[in-house]
Structures are given as structure tokens and as C-alpha cells.
Amino acid sequence: MDTTAHTSAAVADRPKTSPSTLASGFAPARTARPAESAEHETPRRLVIVSNRLPYRFEGDGAGGFSFERSVGGLATGLGPLHEEAGNLWIGWADAAEGLADEGRAALDGALAERACRAVFLDTKDAKRYYEGFSNSAVWPLFHGFPHLARFDKGEWEAYRRVNERFRDAVVAEARSGDVLWVQDYHLMLLPSLLREALPDARIGFFLHIPFPDYETFRMLPWRGEIVRGLLGADLIGFHAYDYVRHFLSSCRRIAGIENASGTLMADGRLVQADAFPLGIDYERYRDAARTPAVRRAAAEFAAEKGHEGCKVMLSVERLDYSKGIPDRLNAYDAFLDRHPEWAGRVVLVLVTVPSRENVGSYRALKKRIDELVGLINGKHSTMDWTPVDYYYRSLPFNQLAGLYVASDVMLVTPLRDGMNLVCKEYLACHDGDGGVLVLSEMAGASSELHEAITVNPFDLEGLVSAMEQALAMPADEQRRRNAPMQHRLARYTSRKWAREFLDAMDETKRRQEGLGARLIGPDSARRMAEAFLAARRRALLLDYDGTLVPFSGEPAHAAPDAQLLALLKTLGTAAGTDVVVVSGRDRGTLESWLGGTPAELVAEHGVWFLDRNRSGWTLEEPLDDAWKDAIRPVLAGFVDRTPGAILEEKDFSLVWHYRMCGQELAERRVIELKNALGELEGSGLALMDGNKVIEIKPNGVGKGHAAHRWFRDPSYGFLLAAGDDRTDEDVFEAAPANAWTVKVGGGPTRARFALRDCREMRALLETLAKTAG
């Protein structure tokens, strides 16, 4: 498998003859670095990069360390891949802050035995990066709590420095061919930092929390840096399509980068964004629930707490304001008020796992929960019944599984959650039997678990109704609802999630490589000339601006020179040769410039056609231009506000040129204009983003569609298509496999070959003209 993606016109033929030996005088491009061999010297390795390592550890007092595997969703999901031979995990060794150099060296050795590499951070930076920017700015903002977000420049700078520290650690370990998979919101700058240091690396990123809508995300002062940081990855993964949609919207509105089905072009490189819902180790929970130890733990729990004869509703959450724990308690209080018949017949087991206890807002949340539990128990308790059974601690696996088994109802009602795996674990422990899941529609898991009782966590009455429905649900309905969810979860496990992401990254790399091209050197030029000479009929489909002539700041100043006119005449009069100029120019301009040549002309990207006999312009199909009255004032307004911009009107399109504008102003105006025209979808119109132009035209009109007139003619033994722009990519895509497709200029392309500029394109055409002569 290739270790290098060719995302631009990068690889030239290895020259066997000097440029002077080419009879045509065509000078080949300099030889670029050849592609790496498809065989690696070492097998491809996965390098997982996350905020923390997958182990908890502490010193034993004698220079050694004890290790315990973490049980979080990330460690569980990626654990099996990490354990495969050769793979590596890089993360912050937060528990090692007090160690001297000797202790850190010993820890490095112990971690190396577990295929881990520690990142050591400055204590002050670590606090500002983790408790500061990551969890006091990103976490609340991305979860929809902007009023709790703190935007501190010093914390942002620490976040940037820590991401750079992670970059240094990854670069120090990286080998050719490695897959670098960066995890979560703590490291959103790292993909672009790695891309700068390792341009050819395979880089993936996965966000395990929600990505907010644009109106929320734009509140972040460093939103542009975050977007550009993420776009350094080849593949960006999210738990749900809503998060993908929000990210793509921010790319368009903040960076001016459009997408097609989640595919973006960033800095000349193809980037894919997609949804990959994280699963669990389903068999682990299912099998654990069937063991005597867990069944016994479930029975002992019920007996010890006096829950016999009571329905058990369970809530297991980490302490966090996004989890909606107070709202859940308020709803339970209201349920007991409205349904006194359930007094003594139901108990809420509330497990709250400590988290970020040194953060003020979390301490306040803990106090509020304590008070609500006390209020409910004080209000509703009887001598032999306590409505809330409260635990503020983490639970070992068997005890947690026992709680899942013992519970009749699982309440998972976060106000916002990236995925939430607790609901999946609960269902796995009830495989084949009853149990009711009440699930917030604000959790990412709700997009998969449609059969659960879905609730709006902000709707108190809805929560009360859901509790009543869950407690009264017949056993056969419980099993009927659970079966499809359990089947789905058993199939899409955490291991499958990881494999699908990595497979998608491979596919993204293949697509990037498919957008590469070889610079034409002597060998390719010779083979092209031989194929041209051997064919009885030939068609040359040539773009105009940027391909035959250089771009001009003023579109009217790009008229053809005498040499180009003579070249087109020579080619167009050669026996069996048809020359077609396929341009975005209007028909009047094209005819006035090229009408004296034998070239066939295609204007406005395929709207108008003029044959070599000059028998009159024809339309490919009937078109309507009434839409221009609504769009013209919008574009004219942007011309007025943007010095140097030009509005060009063609028969069936409107074009906003910004080649003469200042770069910073132009970039801002392009984003604004795209946003203003962003609702064209479904209107029968398309926005085409070209080289320093934005064009609005009818859907279905394009150079690729126009080129089919020649591509589908089997009599042509030689086909050449050349262009420089996004509009020409449609031609390259439509071209048959045996066509010679040539991209003029840099950047990713579907063309097979590339040239650096118009001068080299002219030289290539001169070669063909001399061959024909």
C-alpha cells in the first residue's frame, strides 16, 4: 500500500532523453520526487493520540509503577486495536507531573512495555489547557452552554502550546506509513500541526462530543484556527450526521470552503467529513450479565436495599451540567407528586461519578444534586421506603453490570451528549429480555436507538409521562422494542466502529491519490505524439483562460496573441483533427477572438455551441434567464462593497470576478457572498466556484456535459482534454479512460497528467502541431 498520497501535480516522468532531443522543442518539467514503492519496509502502524493514555498509573514508592486499564469509552473502543502488535498510543501522563527526570525515565520505560508514549506538560500549561480552554471554553460551548464558557487568551495560548507539544511527541515517534489517529476536542489544532510537519502522513481526527451549530460556534474567538486545525486531517469523524452538518456549515461560513457530500477541498487537498457512531464491546456486557457473579450481585443489591417489590429506575452519569441530572431529579419529584400510587413501588438509583471536582461550576452542581436528593427523600420518604438511592462514586464493572441487570428502567436524559454509551451498555445487559430505555433526543445515540422512549430533556411534563409509560410497559412490548436495538448494537461494536473509520481513511487516501497527476516529461510527450499521429481522427478539447492564455485582472484584456491563433489554425486544419475551445466566456467574446480559426467554440461552460462552419450558435437545450433579476442585485451589491470586483452578465449566467481585489477583503467577501447565495439548492440554479470567480448558472450546465458530444463519438482514436479550473474537472471526470487529460497548474485533479503553466501547454500543442505536419 502506498505511503504517500499524490494530491497535486507532483510526479514527473524519469527523463531518458534531454529536453534538447525532443524534435518539438517541448521542454519537460523538472523531475519531481518519485512515488514511494507500494511495498513498505515496515508494516503500517496505528498511532493513537489522545489527551490521556489508556492506563491509570501510580508510583509504588520503590521506583516502580502500578497500572490499571482505563474503562472509558475511548479506551474501550480503541483498546483492541492498541493491543495489536506494533501499534502505539501517545497521551498526556498527567499523574507524572511531580516526577523528577529519573522518575519520568522509569515511567517511559514502563509505558513502552505497554506500547505507550507519555507526553509531559508544564504544570501551568497543563492546567490552562485542560481545566481552562478545553473544559471551560470548548466543552460548555460545544454542548450548548455558551453562558458557562470562558474565553481567556492565556488559556488559548496554553492550548496551542500543548497541541504543539503533542505534535513534537508524535513527530518524534512517527514512521513512514503510520496512520495517525487524533482523538477529541483537546487536540483540535493537532491535525494541521502534523500536516505541516508530515505533509504525506495519513491523519484522522475524531470528535467525541457534539459539534455546535454555526451561530454557537462563531462565538469562539479562535473559531478560524479551530476549523483550519481540523482540516489538516484526511478524515474528520463525528458521532452523528447533525454534527457533520454543523461542521460543514462552519467550514463554509468561516473558511469559505464548500463541500460536496461531505467532501471538502482545503489547501488543495481532499478532506472528508462523515459520521461514525461509536459502539460498545457488546459481547462483554451481554456475557457479563449472564454470569452467576453479576446475577448474584443484582439480587444482593435488591435485597440489601430493600427494593423487593419495587420497580428500579437507574441513572448512571458522570458529574456534568450537560447530563441533565437536576432536570431528571425534578421530573422524578413531579412524577411522584402526580402519581402517588407509585409511592413505595419505585426507587430511583442515582449513580453520579465524580468529575472535575476542583472546578467551581462542578462543585456547585454537586451541591445542587445533593440538595435535590435530600429534598425528594425528605418530601416523599416513608418508614420503609426511600425514593432516591444515591451513590456519588464510580462503580467496578461487575457491580455496574449488576445494577443494569437489576433495573427495570434506564433513564438517559442528557441535555446534550456526543453519543452516550451507558444506554448501549444497559441494552446489552438485557439482551433477550425486558428493560425499558428512556433516552434523550439530545444524545447522539438517539439517532441509532429509535425504539427507545425518546424525550426532550427540557420538557418536564414529557419526562414525567415517559417515566409513567416506562414503568407500566408490558414485558412483551419491552422485548419487542429492545430486540432491534440489541441486534443493531451487537453488529456495530466499538471494534467495527474503529475499523470502519480506518477503512474510510484508506478510501479517502485513495481518492486523494486519484486526484493526482504526473507532470508531463519526455516519455509522456513522446507517447502522446505517437498516439496523436497514429489516430485517423482526433479531438482536442481546450479551455481558454489559464490554459491557452494567462489570466488577466481585466477579463477583456486576455485576447489571443498571433502565435496562439496560428497554432489553433495549424492544428484545426490538420487532417482528421477537430479543435474545440470550451470556455466560460460569452459567445460574443469567443467569436470575436477565435472566429477566424477553424476551432469549434463552446461558450458559457456548455450553453452555446458554434461549429467550425460558423453556421450559427445553437443551444444545447432550452434555458430560462428570468432568475437573473433576483440574483443580479445581490451580486451588484457585493461589487459596490468590494473595490476591484466586477459583475459580468452572460446570456444564461452571472459572474462575480474578484481577481483584482485585495486578498483579505476578497476572502471575506467570498464567504459572505456564498452565505448570501447559500440557499440556491432546490432553485434549479448552481453556484460554481472558479478561479477568482463565482458564477451562478442553471443546474445541469457544465463543461463535462458539453464534452460528451465528442467523448461519445467512437470514431475519435485520440482525445485530449486540457484545463486549469474546477470547471474543467467535470471534463476530466467525463473523459473516457483512454483520453489524455491534462491539468494546467497545481492542485488536486482528476486528470492523468499535469503541466505547470500556459507556456508548457502551448509547447505541448506545438509538439502535436509539428507531429501533424
Side-chain angles (χ1 to χ4, degrees), residues 63-65 67 99-113 120:
F65 299 90
F67 291 84
L99 292 179
D101 290 344
E102 184 179 342
R104 290 188 175 187
L107 177 60
D108 274 336
L111 286 171
E113 296 175 0
F120 300 106

Side-chain angles (χ1 to χ4, degrees), residues 167-341:
R167 174 204 57 199
D168 296 342
V170 174
V171 170
E173 295 289 337
R175 304 171 186 164
S176 176
D178 280 351
V179 177
L180 311 177
W181 193 358
V182 181
Q183 307 290 328
D184 223 1
Y185 64 101
H186 314 85
L187 301 172
M188 290 190 288
L189 300 181
L190 185 55
S192 66
L193 293 171
L194 289 174
R195 181 63 60 197
E196 292 170 7
L198 304 168
D200 297 327
R202 292 173 180 262
I203 303 172
F205 178 88
F206 197 91
L207 186 68
H208 293 268
I209 64 174
F211 195 93
D213 62 85
Y214 168 71
E215 290 300 328
T216 300
F217 183 60
R218 71 186 299 192
M219 298 172 68
L220 185 66
W222 305 279
R223 58 189 184 240
E225 290 90 332
I226 294 295
V227 166
R228 286 188 286 274
L230 294 175
L231 289 173
D234 299 301
L235 177 64
I236 306 169
F238 304 86
H239 283 307
Y241 281 103
D242 279 350
Y243 310 154
V244 177
R245 180 168 53 83
H246 293 159
F247 172 71
L248 295 174
S249 175
S250 288
C251 287
R252 175 167 65 87
R253 292 170 177 262
I254 293 170
I257 300 174
E258 299 286 349
N259 82 93
S261 300
T263 299
L264 309 107
M265 297 303 297
D267 298 324
R269 195 171 44 80
L270 183 149
V271 178
Q272 183 69 43
D274 210 341
F276 303 86
L278 176 60
I280 62 170
D281 186 347
Y282 190 85
E283 291 183 358
R284 182 187 184 212
Y285 286 90
R286 181 199 62 194
D287 295 345
R290 297 171 178 175
T291 61
V294 170
R295 290 287 178 179
R296 187 165 53 251
E300 289 173 354
F301 171 78
E304 179 185 344
K305 293 297 180 180
H307 293 162
E308 294 94 337
C310 280
K311 293 267 192 175
V312 176
M313 292 199 298
L314 176 63
S315 168
V316 179
E317 298 284 11
R318 182 176 57 82
L319 179 70
D320 195 274
Y321 46 78
S322 67
K323 302 300 184 181
I325 301 172
D327 305 81
R328 202 170 307 157
L329 286 168
N330 284 327
Y332 183 54
D333 182 32
F335 170 79
L336 295 175
D337 284 339
R338 289 162 178 67
H339 298 281
E341 69 276 12

Side-chain angles (χ1 to χ4, degrees), residues 436-456:
V436 183
L437 174 62
V438 177
L439 180 61
S440 167
E441 63 189 30
M442 303 298 180
S446 66
S447 62
E448 298 174 84
L449 306 179
H450 316 291
E451 297 82 2
I453 298 176
T454 306
V455 295
N456 178 346

Side-chain angles (χ1 to χ4, degrees), residues 291-558:
T291 61
V294 170
R295 290 287 178 179
R296 187 165 53 251
E300 289 173 354
F301 171 78
E304 179 185 344
K305 293 297 180 180
H307 293 162
E308 294 94 337
C310 280
K311 293 267 192 175
V312 176
M313 292 199 298
L314 176 63
S315 168
V316 179
E317 298 284 11
R318 182 176 57 82
L319 179 70
D320 195 274
Y321 46 78
S322 67
K323 302 300 184 181
I325 301 172
D327 305 81
R328 202 170 307 157
L329 286 168
N330 284 327
Y332 183 54
D333 182 32
F335 170 79
L336 295 175
D337 284 339
R338 289 162 178 67
H339 298 281
E341 69 276 12
W342 280 100
R345 297 173 52 212
V346 63
V347 64
L348 172 62
V349 177
L350 181 69
V351 179
T352 304
V353 179
S355 174
R356 302 169 190 162
E357 295 173 288
N358 54 341
V359 177
S361 59
Y362 285 76
R363 290 195 300 270
L365 176 61
K366 167 66 165 55
K367 181 180 178 183
R368 185 181 175 197
I369 292 171
D370 292 347
E371 290 171 349
L372 282 171
V373 170
L375 184 149
I376 294 170
N377 283 341
K379 178 180 177 182
H380 297 284
S381 290
T382 64
M383 291 293 293
D384 55 359
W385 172 66
T386 303
V388 182
D389 193 359
Y390 179 36
Y391 300 86
Y392 183 64
R393 64 172 185 267
S394 60
L395 301 177
F397 177 78
N398 279 350
Q399 191 173 350
L400 177 62
L403 270 180
Y404 287 150
V405 171
S407 301
D408 302 282
V409 178
M410 185 79 210
L411 301 176
V412 181
T413 58
L415 305 180
R416 193 70 169 161
D417 215 338
M419 172 52 68
N420 195 294
L421 300 181
V422 167
C423 56
K424 298 184 176 186
E425 295 166 0
Y426 174 78
L427 288 169
C429 286
H430 284 265
D431 184 72
D433 62 17
V436 183
L437 174 62
V438 177
L439 180 61
S440 167
E441 63 189 30
M442 303 298 180
S446 66
S447 62
E448 298 174 84
L449 306 179
H450 316 291
E451 297 82 2
I453 298 176
T454 306
V455 295
N456 178 346
F458 298 95
D459 178 7
L460 184 141
E461 296 302 327
L463 284 169
V464 169
S465 177
M467 290 178 183
E468 180 187 18
Q469 181 186 356
L471 290 169
M473 185 179 292
D476 59 343
E477 183 180 349
Q478 295 178 29
R479 288 189 291 270
R480 179 177 58 79
R481 284 174 175 259
N482 288 351
M485 293 191 287
Q486 289 159 344
H487 177 72
R488 209 172 293 133
L489 297 177
R491 188 177 69 252
Y492 199 89
T493 63
S494 55
R495 181 182 286 267
K496 184 173 176 61
W497 163 79
R499 288 297 181 191
E500 285 201 356
F501 184 92
L502 295 175
D503 288 346
M505 194 151 68
D506 285 344
E507 176 59 25
T508 300
K509 274 299 185 186
R510 282 192 290 271
R511 291 172 62 200
Q512 289 176 348
E513 291 162 4
L515 293 178
R518 291 183 299 161
L519 288 169
I520 294 178
D523 287 350
S524 296
R526 174 180 51 78
R527 291 196 304 271
M528 185 185 295
E530 291 171 352
F532 181 86
L533 185 62
R536 296 184 61 185
R537 289 198 70 202
R538 314 135 179 163
L540 311 181
L541 278 67
L542 309 172
D543 172 50
Y544 185 77
D545 292 281
T547 300
L548 297 177
V549 298
F551 283 105
S552 172
E554 174 56 54
H557 295 168

Side-chain angles (χ1 to χ4, degrees), residues 460-662:
L460 184 141
E461 296 302 327
L463 284 169
V464 169
S465 177
M467 290 178 183
E468 180 187 18
Q469 181 186 356
L471 290 169
M473 185 179 292
D476 59 343
E477 183 180 349
Q478 295 178 29
R479 288 189 291 270
R480 179 177 58 79
R481 284 174 175 259
N482 288 351
M485 293 191 287
Q486 289 159 344
H487 177 72
R488 209 172 293 133
L489 297 177
R491 188 177 69 252
Y492 199 89
T493 63
S494 55
R495 181 182 286 267
K496 184 173 176 61
W497 163 79
R499 288 297 181 191
E500 285 201 356
F501 184 92
L502 295 175
D503 288 346
M505 194 151 68
D506 285 344
E507 176 59 25
T508 300
K509 274 299 185 186
R510 282 192 290 271
R511 291 172 62 200
Q512 289 176 348
E513 291 162 4
L515 293 178
R518 291 183 299 161
L519 288 169
I520 294 178
D523 287 350
S524 296
R526 174 180 51 78
R527 291 196 304 271
M528 185 185 295
E530 291 171 352
F532 181 86
L533 185 62
R536 296 184 61 185
R537 289 198 70 202
R538 314 135 179 163
L540 311 181
L541 278 67
L542 309 172
D543 172 50
Y544 185 77
D545 292 281
T547 300
L548 297 177
V549 298
F551 283 105
S552 172
E554 174 56 54
H557 295 168
D561 54 76
Q563 181 187 21
L564 175 60
L565 293 173
L567 178 58
L568 293 177
K569 183 176 181 181
T570 300
L571 286 168
T573 54
T577 304
D578 294 328
V579 176
V580 186
V581 176
V582 187
S583 173
R585 294 276 183 174
D586 65 90
R587 53 180 173 153
T589 300
L590 273 186
E591 188 168 11
S592 67
W593 285 352
L594 304 177
T597 72
E600 298 185 61
L601 305 178
V602 180
E604 295 190 32
H605 297 113
V607 173
W608 294 103
F609 293 78
L610 182 65
D611 63 25
R612 64 188 302 159
N613 298 321
R614 303 300 186 250
S615 54
W617 288 91
T618 60
L619 280 171
E620 175 75 358
E621 57 187 63
L623 294 172
D624 178 22
D625 66 350
W627 58 269
K628 292 198 292 184
D629 291 338
I631 302 296
R632 189 186 298 108
V634 177
L635 296 176
F638 276 87
V639 169
D640 293 340
R641 296 167 51 211
T642 315
I646 299 171
L647 175 59
E648 178 187 7
E649 182 162 352
K650 305 176 187 177
D651 291 329
F652 295 99
S653 65
L654 293 170
V655 190
W656 191 72
H657 296 261
Y658 57 94
R659 185 170 300 280
M660 294 296 291
C661 303

